[in-house]
Amino acid sequence: MSVDIGIDLGTTSIIIYMSGKGIVLKEPTVATIDARSKKIIAFGKEALKAVDRIPPFYKTVYPLIDGVVSDHYVTEFMIKHFMRMISQNLIVKPRVSICIPSGVTDVEVNAVIDAVSNSGARKIYLIEEPIAGAIGAGLDLSLASGKMLLDLGGGTSDVAVISMNGIASKASLKGAGKRLDEDLIRYLKNKYNILIGMKTAEEIKKLLGNVYKPKPEVKYQVKGKNAVTGFPEAVIISEADTAEAYRDHIIEISQMVRQVMERTSPELISDIAETGMVLTGGTSLLRGLPELLGELLNIRTLPVEDPINCVAIGTGKAFDYLNILSDGFIKPTAYK
């Protein structure tokens, strides 16, 4: 029996959906490499454990930057390994659908295809992230009424207005969750003179991050290194600190959405004003983000039930829409 596989190949994680089984794999998109031999020492969860703790002759590699492939060798190695894990018992090679950010270039598209083509796929399809998110969220894409979806991932934020199985307007912004972590690192260095790593920044985001009406009395102890002395140091920060650190990038995201709304017809905007904007992606879980975006854009925001897996689920289910969607797939017959 033929099996279809959907891959959400993200900057921070790779999530794989298999027809009939659901989500079958979720791993961080990171590897540890021996800089001397170029050999991959660890990847996925094992590599993530070692981030900021490896000796000088090892290096941490994130093979995707801002949603696109930056290291073909590591990306291909990881995809081939994970595909073997989930499809080694399949009799027929699977069809594979991969989601990509809106507005990627032909060079970036080819980089994704090159990384996946040797993984054992029978045929490869590419689908834009907002469309995959909309399918995963269970939206009816065939209706003439407009729907807006904002996917907030680890490396990109993608927004699209969808109507009658097509995309009316769209935009993509590099940054998202990883940019928020970088902003927090910079903020803590400037305000408290303390240095932390990306892993610690992400932990703070999950535990303390709040961008809407943050409570100064809610605090967290951050352990790091003094930027001047190099000695270990701990400081106390509050929700208000995270809100200040994250605000600039969230305003950038809201401006991107506003620009898409300005390019959208009055009739579709009227629909969106009534139905609201759907939020998907792991970054949408940041406390207060739906409320802040709703206030900045004067629109109702609608988080989905499973924002982290939503795009992967939609990517896997996208095969049901191959002959329906008038937009969203990129050259669906070109990759065999």
Side-chain angles (χ1 to χ4, degrees), residues 268-279:
L268 291 178
I269 289 298
S270 176
D271 296 335
I272 294 166
E274 186 174 323
T275 59
M277 178 174 66
V278 175
L279 301 181

Side-chain angles (χ1 to χ4, degrees), residues 3-310:
V3 173
D4 295 328
I5 290 174
I7 301 178
D8 180 2
L9 188 60
T11 300
T12 57
S13 64
I14 176 172
I15 305 174
I16 300 181
Y17 175 96
M18 181 180 288
S19 59
K21 293 187 177 181
I23 301 296
V24 293
L25 183 139
K26 186 186 299 183
E27 290 275 350
T29 316
V30 60
T32 302
I33 293 183
D34 188 326
R36 301 162 300 183
S37 64
K38 308 300 181 184
K39 181 180 179 181
I40 297 177
I41 305 300
F43 54 90
K45 294 185 179 73
E46 291 303 312
L48 186 63
K49 292 178 184 177
V51 170
D52 298 326
R53 292 183 171 89
I54 55 178
F57 48 85
Y58 287 170
K59 66 175 181 177
T60 298
V61 175
Y62 294 92
L64 284 95
I65 296 177
D66 297 331
V68 295
V69 176
S70 62
D71 190 312
H72 295 71
Y73 169 68
V74 175
T75 303
E76 183 174 333
F77 179 91
M78 293 177 67
I79 291 175
K80 287 173 71 173
H81 177 82
F82 293 143
M83 285 287 288
R84 281 196 298 267
M85 285 176 57
I86 66 170
S87 62
Q88 58 183 348
N89 296 322
L90 297 180
I91 298 175
V92 180
K93 289 184 177 182
R95 294 187 299 178
V96 176
S97 176
I98 310 156
C99 68
I100 57 174
S102 296
V104 294
T105 65
D106 288 341
V107 172
E108 291 166 342
V109 166
N110 290 333
V112 174
I113 295 302
D114 289 342
V116 181
S117 60
N118 296 321
S119 64
R122 172 162 52 96
K123 197 169 185 181
I124 300 172
Y125 296 80
L126 300 181
I127 184 170
E128 295 187 47
E129 284 181 1
I131 290 291
I135 294 172
L139 301 183
D140 188 345
L141 307 185
S142 65
L143 300 179
S145 60
K147 297 175 180 62
M148 176 176 276
L149 183 135
L150 174 61
D151 179 61
L152 299 163
T156 61
S157 299
D158 292 87
V159 63
V161 174
I162 305 165
S163 177
M164 297 182 67
N165 296 317
I167 299 175
S169 55
K170 62 184 179 180
S172 182
L173 177 68
K174 293 181 179 180
K178 201 167 183 181
R179 162 71 184 276
L180 295 179
D181 295 336
E182 292 168 351
D183 287 348
L184 181 63
I185 291 172
R186 190 179 307 109
Y187 174 87
L188 295 180
K189 179 184 177 183
N190 293 337
K191 183 172 182 178
Y192 295 103
N193 217 30
I194 190 170
L195 303 176
I196 63 170
M198 290 290 288
K199 191 174 180 181
T200 300
E202 185 176 6
E203 290 172 358
I204 294 171
K205 182 173 63 183
K206 292 177 179 178
L207 292 171
L208 191 70
N210 188 352
V211 296
Y212 189 73
K213 297 181 179 179
K215 300 178 178 64
E217 66 273 16
V218 178
K219 298 181 178 181
Y220 179 78
Q221 184 184 65
V222 178
K223 297 178 181 178
K225 181 175 76 171
N226 185 284
V228 177
T229 66
F231 294 152
E233 187 170 317
V235 298
I236 303 296
I237 67 171
S238 71
E239 283 188 349
D241 285 311
T242 64
E244 187 175 345
Y246 300 148
R247 186 168 181 83
D248 285 350
H249 187 53
I250 293 171
I251 289 175
E252 285 184 52
I253 293 172
S254 69
Q255 289 172 340
M256 172 191 68
V257 176
R258 189 180 301 278
Q259 290 169 2
V260 167
M261 295 172 71
E262 290 172 353
R263 298 196 301 266
T264 302
S265 70
E267 289 77 12
L268 291 178
I269 289 298
S270 176
D271 296 335
I272 294 166
E274 186 174 323
T275 59
M277 178 174 66
V278 175
L279 301 181
T280 63
T283 302
S284 69
L285 292 171
L286 177 62
R287 280 186 293 277
L289 183 57
E291 292 84 356
L292 180 56
L293 287 174
E295 188 174 280
L296 291 171
L297 296 165
N298 193 29
I299 191 173
R300 186 161 55 103
T301 53
L302 307 167
V304 297
E305 183 177 340
D306 188 1
I308 294 177
N309 296 322
C310 187

